[in-house]
Amino acid sequence: MLILAIESSCDETSAAVCEFGDGAPIIRSNIIASQIETHKLYGGVVPEIASRAHCDAISGITYEALDTAGVTLTDIDAVAVTALPGLIGALLVGVNFAKSLAFANNIPLVPVNHIRGHIAANYYVHPELKPPFLALVASGGHTSLIRVSDYTTCETVGRTRDDAIGEAFDKVGRVMGLPYPGGAEMDRLASLGNSGAVKFPSAAVVGDNLDFSFSGLKTAVINHLHNLEQKGLPIPGEDIAASFTATVTSSVVKKLTMAVEQTGLTDIVIAGGVAANSHLRAALQSFCDRRRLRFYMPPRSLCGDNAAMIAAQGYYEYLAGVRADTSLNAKATG
Ligand code: KG4
Ligand code: ZN
């Protein structure tokens, strides 16, 4: 079957046409219009600007996805749309556009949770991956450890209590003078630095829980940068990026170790924008190798927000009978 998916939860307008059936799923098109250049001017995503940019882009992006896939709306079996969580104004654009498209053309409409979509990006490249498994969703808005019991049922077993992991990368990057979003550049700088140069506090919350707190770590790095600045000392950007990244990865490995022990799960998945981080990918791969766990990660091209991931989760929601009518609304949390 062919699914047309629409994603507009934050600062990327995306539409994809994907094919599902007996074999591995196929991405026929996955068009992404990024608003980063606009939000860069403000050092972060401005929700009102994001909503307006989605309005401008969504129709063109959707027809481009259909054209690239070589299909028309009459070939589409279901429309999947991100309905939660995200910026409410941004989500509303995608939800209302998808509703109109689905009902005007008599196509079933399937609402999808954005976080489950991130996880589902893995199904394109790892068709052998099947629930149950443990997923770490690490993005600009979310940091969660999730027990995925089947394709449409999951439970959050650990979460950040304050900043998301990507938010910490971006805020540290901003104080270091990097353009928004700083995550990818921090990754590059970290490869050039000494990860033992500065000792920062762990982001793993103390105790028998699976939670993180990135706010304390972020503040410690920012204070360190301000101290150097006040003393007129040079900022060793590479060493700070490397030390910060090493602290992030060791905090993640610590809670993942506990999560594996608590859940007994042996298949580990990462997803979300920060899953593109080369140091996190390497650290989790070696953790899983040491423990003889199976490790799955999406290609970098499917880590950030995109509509193909929404199609993948939409397929399983469709099979489970999930449908929406014209009363479908967007939700900021979920
Ligand atoms: O999943 P995503 O595209 O959007 C949300 O759902 O939030 O994630 C975006 C986040 C940003 O914070 C960005 O800086 C971060 O992913 N990111 C990275 C890397 N590439 C993107 N963080 C660390 N290292 C990277 N290579
Ligand atoms: Zn996302």
Side-chain angles (χ1 to χ4, degrees), residues 200-222:
F200 292 124
S202 173
V205 173
V206 175
D208 191 24
N209 61 73
L210 300 176
D211 291 350
F212 300 97
S213 166
F214 288 98
S215 166
L217 168 60
K218 172 200 72 185
T219 307
V221 183
I222 293 175

Side-chain angles (χ1 to χ4, degrees), residues 86-208:
L87 299 172
I88 190 66
L91 284 166
L92 278 168
V93 176
V95 164
N96 285 305
F97 185 80
K99 270 204 284 197
S100 321
L101 209 61
F103 292 104
N105 295 281
N106 211 14
I107 307 171
L109 178 64
V110 182
V112 174
N113 179 303
H114 179 82
I115 296 172
R116 295 188 191 187
H118 270 301
I119 297 171
N122 279 282
Y123 300 141
Y124 288 109
V125 282
H126 306 295
E128 73 284 12
L129 170 65
K130 291 190 169 55
F133 57 76
L134 184 65
L136 169 74
V137 177
S139 74
H142 314 278
T143 313
S144 306
L145 278 165
I146 298 174
R147 183 209 309 259
V148 179
S149 10
D150 68 45
Y151 288 105
T152 55
T153 315
C154 62
E155 180 201 353
T156 301
V157 293
R159 60 185 64 71
T160 179
R161 294 190 181 176
D162 38 57
D163 290 357
I165 188 167
E167 204 179 337
F169 269 100
D170 296 343
K171 286 183 178 164
V172 167
R174 183 169 164 177
V175 176
M176 282 172 50
L178 307 178
Y180 173 84
E185 180 60 9
M186 289 284 286
D187 189 350
R188 198 188 65 77
L189 286 178
S191 306
L192 306 171
N194 168 9
S195 61
V198 196
K199 175 116 187 67
F200 292 124
S202 173
V205 173
V206 175
D208 191 24

Side-chain angles (χ1 to χ4, degrees), residues 282-302:
L284 295 187
Q285 182 71 66
S286 78
F287 162 75
C288 290
D289 289 349
R290 276 197 315 275
R291 295 228 161 198
R292 294 180 191 283
L293 304 165
R294 279 178 295 271
F295 180 53
Y296 303 90
M297 52 188 163
R300 284 201 172 77
S301 58
L302 292 178

Side-chain angles (χ1 to χ4, degrees), residues 51-108:
S51 313
R52 285 167 191 267
H54 285 306
C55 286
D56 289 344
I58 199 152
S59 181
I61 290 294
T62 302
Y63 284 97
E64 190 180 337
L66 290 165
D67 288 350
T68 306
V71 299
T72 66
L73 277 172
T74 52
D75 301 309
I76 299 297
D77 299 295
V79 174
V81 64
T82 306
L84 76 166
L87 299 172
I88 190 66
L91 284 166
L92 278 168
V93 176
V95 164
N96 285 305
F97 185 80
K99 270 204 284 197
S100 321
L101 209 61
F103 292 104
N105 295 281
N106 211 14
I107 307 171

